[in-house]
Amino acid sequence: MAEVLVVTSGKGGVGKTTSTAALGAALAQTGQSVVVIDFDVGLRNLDLVMGAERRVVYDLINVVQGDANLNQALIKDKRVESLSLLPASQTRDKDALTAEGVERVINELKGKFDWIICDSPAGIERGAYFAMRHADLAVIVTNPEVSSVRDSDRIIGLLDSKTEKAERGETMEKLLLLTRYDPVRAERGDMLKVDDVLEILSIPLLGIIPESPEVLKASNLGSPVTLANPISAPSRAYLDAARRLRGETIEMTVPSEKKRFFGNLFGRRAA
Amino acid sequence: MSVLKFFTRRSSAPAARERLQLLLAHERAVFGRTDLVAQLKDEILAVIAKHIAIDPEKVRIKTDTRDTLATLEVDIEIRTPNGGLKLAG
């Protein structure tokens, strides 16, 4: 049975698209078949982060409106065979999404994939609403910072009221993905700690992604960080999170970069 | 940075945490995510307001959780012109 997962946050710039790409790739790396869908119509970026920007022919809007079929619009990843991307439209606006169209696309994808990961746009408008609408579970991407935590709280409220699952009277499973975490600054008292955010939002923790230059390097290259550098600290955190999504119990840690003096000295390359 | 300033430096994260807890207790009540703290605040204030004139702006609610102990701290500033408690009614 396919799982529909929404990656959401309310606030922009906290790492939704990065996390969608990384979690999608990580799940695919474990052998699951995965499709990542960009719901940010008009401001698509998942294609760029995944390195597929030059391969987009048809998009979500074309499929929603019946101008193309799913197989024409899906872009298969060149690195991991079981990973596909359904890009958003760059030219249309978000009003082109319709409730019936999105539902039909999600239902069709359920027959093809183990995981359907919906990358929500920022904000709480139409695109964000459609991204969360059919979800079975939600990953709330949050930075340890006041405005991000506040917006996540607002999104949690919407997940509990505006989704199909909520309307059926069921509880939406919501998991916290804390990104850009800096354990040193948190320990110094200048950044909210993991426990602070958990206590305030009171949802279970999926993973802690440490702040790392590897994330930017990977997006420069157009690769999910888990594929660009699987042994880097953020990649290990995402790979652990993906295994937790699959039901495995893995001890929660904040991975840190391994000190590789000679590796860094001689092996450094511009990304 | 002076040596004194170095030793008396206050961390900012506790302030963030406190501000968020207060704000979200209020926002959850407004946006429908029921919250015990907001409800308690309203009910406690209603009871006190029956007897003492209070300014809702001068009320601070703080919650804290440590291991198995949760505390609710309610700080109400009561201002009276002549310094004493003035009971209503």
Side-chain angles (χ1 to χ4, degrees):
Chain A
M1 185 61 195
E3 286 268 10
V4 183
L5 185 158
V6 60
V7 177
T8 184
S9 70
K11 186 168 156 42
V14 297
K16 281 183 297 298
T17 301
T18 300
S19 297
T20 300
L23 285 177
L27 281 166
Q29 283 166 284
T30 68
Q32 297 277 288
S33 62
V34 180
V35 60
V36 288
I37 313 178
D38 193 346
F39 274 85
D40 205 345
V41 177
L43 288 170
R44 75 171 175 222
N45 272 320
L46 187 55
D47 56 332
L48 196 53
V49 170
M50 303 271 297
E53 70 277 11
R54 300 203 299 179
R55 299 171 62 206
V56 177
V57 182
Y58 294 107
D59 57 52
L60 174 64
I61 300 292
N62 296 135
V63 183
V64 162
Q65 301 198 329
D67 300 329
N69 64 39
L70 258 184
N71 288 332
Q72 290 173 299
L74 286 172
I75 302 170
K76 253 184 185 280
D77 192 90
K78 286 189 168 163
R79 297 150 297 210
V80 188
E81 204 195 338
S82 60
L83 179 62
S84 294
L85 161 71
L86 182 54
S89 169
Q90 184 69 337
T91 52
R92 310 291 291 273
D93 67 56
K94 55 190 185 299
D95 294 334
L97 287 175
T98 62
E100 310 76 50
V102 171
E103 187 172 6
R104 184 173 50 78
V105 170
I106 298 281
N107 282 335
E108 208 175 320
L109 288 169
K110 279 184 183 173
K112 294 174 183 280
F113 295 95
D114 299 322
W115 292 88
I116 299 161
I117 305 184
C118 305
D119 182 20
S120 173
I124 50 175
E125 287 174 56
R126 208 173 160 85
Y129 166 79
F130 281 126
M132 70 168 71
R133 182 80 192 138
H134 306 281
D136 298 309
L137 78 159
V139 170
I140 322 279
V141 182
T142 306
N143 291 169
E145 182 269 323
V146 287
S147 51
S148 175
V149 175
R150 178 199 210 172
D151 291 359
S152 292
D153 192 76
R154 187 74 202 284
I155 281 290
I156 289 170
L158 293 176
L159 286 162
D160 285 336
S161 60
K162 303 283 184 200
T163 53
E164 269 190 339
K165 217 172 172 181
E167 285 169 8
R168 285 199 302 265
E170 295 168 32
T171 313
M172 167 78 69
E173 190 183 352
K174 298 167 293 283
L175 303 167
L176 178 72
L177 189 66
L178 195 60
T179 55
R180 307 199 69 167
Y181 189 70
D182 185 336
V184 175
R185 289 168 72 191
E187 204 42 60
R188 226 169 32 209
D190 288 330
M191 181 182 270
L192 287 168
K193 289 187 180 179
V194 178
D195 287 343
D196 292 333
V197 182
L198 282 176
E199 191 193 324
I200 292 166
L201 294 178
S202 44
I203 56 173
L205 186 60
L206 176 65
I208 307 160
I209 315 298
E211 169 88 70
S212 162
E214 294 302 318
V215 173
L216 180 60
K217 278 193 210 168
S219 85
N220 287 342
L221 297 169
S223 170
V225 69
T226 54
L227 292 174
N229 185 356
I231 60 159
S232 68
S235 297
R236 283 181 282 134
Y238 278 119
L239 288 162
D240 280 356
R243 288 169 62 192
R244 289 187 194 106
L245 280 176
R246 296 205 55 196
E248 287 183 49
T249 308
I250 296 164
E251 196 200 345
M252 191 65 71
T253 58
V254 188
S256 58
E257 297 298 348
K258 294 195 172 71
K259 292 272 179 284
R260 293 186 308 148
F261 180 73
F262 287 105
N264 283 343
L265 204 59
F266 298 115
R268 199 151 171 188
R269 270 196 321 153
Chain B
M1 192 190 278
S2 74
V3 177
L4 189 70
K5 209 171 172 188
F6 179 80
F7 284 113
T8 56
R9 199 176 73 94
R10 283 190 53 192
S11 55
S12 58
R17 182 190 137 105
E18 223 174 280
R19 289 173 60 219
L20 272 170
Q21 279 176 326
L22 202 63
L23 175 72
L24 295 182
H26 171 71
E27 286 190 346
R28 284 168 190 166
V30 173
F31 295 118
R33 192 179 170 198
T34 55
D35 188 272
L36 186 61
V37 174
Q39 203 180 333
L40 279 173
K41 177 187 163 184
D42 289 346
E43 288 181 18
I44 290 170
L45 288 187
V47 169
I48 294 171
K50 261 202 265 180
H51 305 285
I52 308 169
I54 50 171
D55 179 355
E57 297 286 308
K58 303 274 168 62
V59 177
R60 285 183 66 245
I61 309 263
K62 203 176 133 191
T63 57
D64 207 354
T65 316
R66 287 187 212 92
D67 300 323
T68 55
L69 183 73
T71 59
L72 173 72
E73 212 179 293
V74 186
D75 237 331
I76 305 171
E77 206 178 299
I78 303 165
R79 280 185 58 178
T80 51
N82 43 18
L85 266 185
K86 190 176 181 180
L87 300 181

